[in-house]
Amino acid sequence: MSDVPMREVVERGLWFEEFEEGVRYLHRPGRTVTDADNVLFTTLTMNPQPLHLDAAWSAGQPFGQPLVNSLFTLSTLVGQSVSQLTRGTLVANLGFGAVAFPHPVFVGDTLYGESVVESKRLSSSRPGEGIVVLGHTARNQDGVVVATASRSMLVWTREAGERAASTGAASGAEGEGEVSG
């Protein structure tokens, strides 16, 4: 064994400086949706919509079967991006812009996410932080687009993020004017 200390690498998302406009990040692996996912998410969020919960009723509706809750689809899409883009580097989500579900998701479909950096800028009111806007897209196993969303988020710059991590400092998201919920 060598006396040289072993180099350590911590899994993390991207610092503000590492986001590149126009780059498409493909989030893998995909996620196959189960009936349990749909029922659990729908009931946990107190959504009594029979279109998600009642197979017999849904059979008489236009799609002939239950639809996967669209907010589960959106949550999965955003969640797929975390390991690759924002784990440990996100200060806060600022909000979502246009969200669309152009094609239904059914139990058994596999969701694949991708994100494109649409824009980025340093924060004018929060030194050491920047605003990144991502365009998220979810496709099913056949490549059909099932969800799109625009997301604005506040991300640490490398220097400020490493400093905050070493001191255990936390940051809120007030003061940017774009902060929502």
Side-chain angles (χ1 to χ4, degrees):
M1 278 281 200
S2 169
D3 289 339
V4 177
M6 185 179 291
R7 187 166 88 80
E8 294 179 334
V9 176
V10 175
E11 186 175 17
R12 63 163 173 82
L14 303 178
W15 300 117
F16 174 79
E17 296 87 348
E18 295 174 304
F19 281 96
E20 296 179 50
E21 289 185 38
V23 171
R24 180 181 319 273
Y25 298 91
L26 303 178
H27 312 306
R28 301 296 183 265
R31 173 69 157 75
T32 301
V33 181
T34 68
D35 188 49
D37 295 329
N38 190 41
V39 171
L40 181 61
F41 185 89
T42 299
T43 56
L44 282 174
T45 57
M46 299 181 66
N47 179 345
Q49 177 54 257
L51 197 53
H52 306 311
L53 299 171
D54 186 332
W57 183 85
S58 296
Q61 298 305 306
F63 293 104
Q65 62 183 308
L67 299 179
V68 170
N69 187 311
S70 57
L71 293 181
F72 175 85
T73 302
L74 179 62
S75 295
T76 301
L77 171 57
V78 171
Q80 287 177 320
S81 73
V82 171
S83 290
Q84 191 173 18
L85 300 180
T86 63
R87 179 184 288 171
T89 58
L90 180 76
V91 177
N93 276 320
L94 298 176
F96 286 87
V99 175
F101 304 101
H103 190 272
V105 174
F106 303 107
V107 168
D109 283 350
T110 300
L111 302 175
Y112 295 96
E114 59 189 63
S115 302
V116 174
V117 179
E118 294 180 344
S119 66
K120 67 180 236 183
R121 68 174 175 82
L122 286 170
S123 171
S124 58
S125 63
R126 298 181 64 86
E129 299 170 13
I131 297 170
V132 178
V133 178
L134 296 176
H136 294 294
T137 301
R139 298 176 191 276
N140 68 14
Q141 67 280 355
D142 299 319
V144 175
V145 174
V146 296
T148 59
S150 175
R151 175 169 65 132
S152 298
M153 56 191 190
L154 203 55
V155 179
W156 289 110
T157 62
R158 178 187 298 273
E159 181 183 346
E162 289 176 345
R163 187 173 52 248
S166 69
T167 63
S171 176
E174 296 82 33
E176 201 49 55
E178 302 172 44
V179 178
S180 66

